[in-house]
Amino acid sequence: MSKSTASTPRNSIVWFELPVPDLDRGVAFYNEVLQVELIREDMDGMRTAKFPVLDGKDTPSGHLFIGTPAPAGQGSVTHLACPGRLEDGMERLARAGGKVLSDPIAIPFGRFTYCQDPFGNSIGLYVETGQE
């Protein structure tokens, strides 16, 4: 096995953090848009809300935490799995106070759209091919 193959991780991203100034508002927004229930946790005194994953509570995914987002449009983009049709997710996002910044963009393995959450975090809603 070559060195590059041996050191290649299962996933390039193992954890992400999205800062929000109000954890309750952040949880309500992401629960509505993604049709999930974020899991509230206390991690060494830091209040967070973890994005649920199919593999269970101890599987890494990402979380919201109380903090200040980068200025709108200047942070990295975190693409999140959108349940159902992408257009329905875009409508939920706008109704919940976020901004849709692009039309759907097709890529070889799905479709996504660029957005911002109500706090200015750059996010994408993503639907895998065959999941709509």
Side-chain angles (χ1 to χ4, degrees), residues 75-88:
S76 61
V77 179
T78 301
H79 291 269
L80 301 166
C82 177
R85 291 181 7 125
L86 182 58
E87 289 77 8
D88 294 342

Side-chain angles (χ1 to χ4, degrees), residues 29 32-33 87-101 115-118 125:
F29 173 79
E32 173 63 25
V33 172
E87 289 77 8
D88 294 342
M90 294 164 66
E91 288 178 19
R92 287 191 304 272
L93 180 129
R95 276 195 317 267
K99 294 178 186 174
V100 175
L101 302 177
C115 308
Q116 282 181 345
D117 72 9
L125 295 181

Side-chain angles (χ1 to χ4, degrees), residues 12-80:
S12 297
I13 301 291
V14 294
W15 189 260
F16 65 89
E17 298 179 317
L18 289 172
V20 295
D22 181 323
L23 191 61
D24 292 334
R25 279 187 55 217
V27 167
F29 173 79
Y30 284 100
N31 282 350
E32 173 63 25
V33 172
L34 302 178
Q35 303 289 282
V36 297
E37 291 292 325
L38 272 68
I39 303 159
R40 291 179 184 265
E41 296 181 325
D42 185 320
M43 293 178 18
D44 292 327
M46 184 170 81
R47 292 177 41 226
T48 67
K50 180 181 172 189
F51 287 81
V53 292
L54 190 58
D55 292 342
K57 187 175 184 318
D58 295 327
T59 301
S61 69
H63 68 229
L64 302 180
F65 70 99
I66 298 171
T68 303
Q74 292 186 20
S76 61
V77 179
T78 301
H79 291 269
L80 301 166

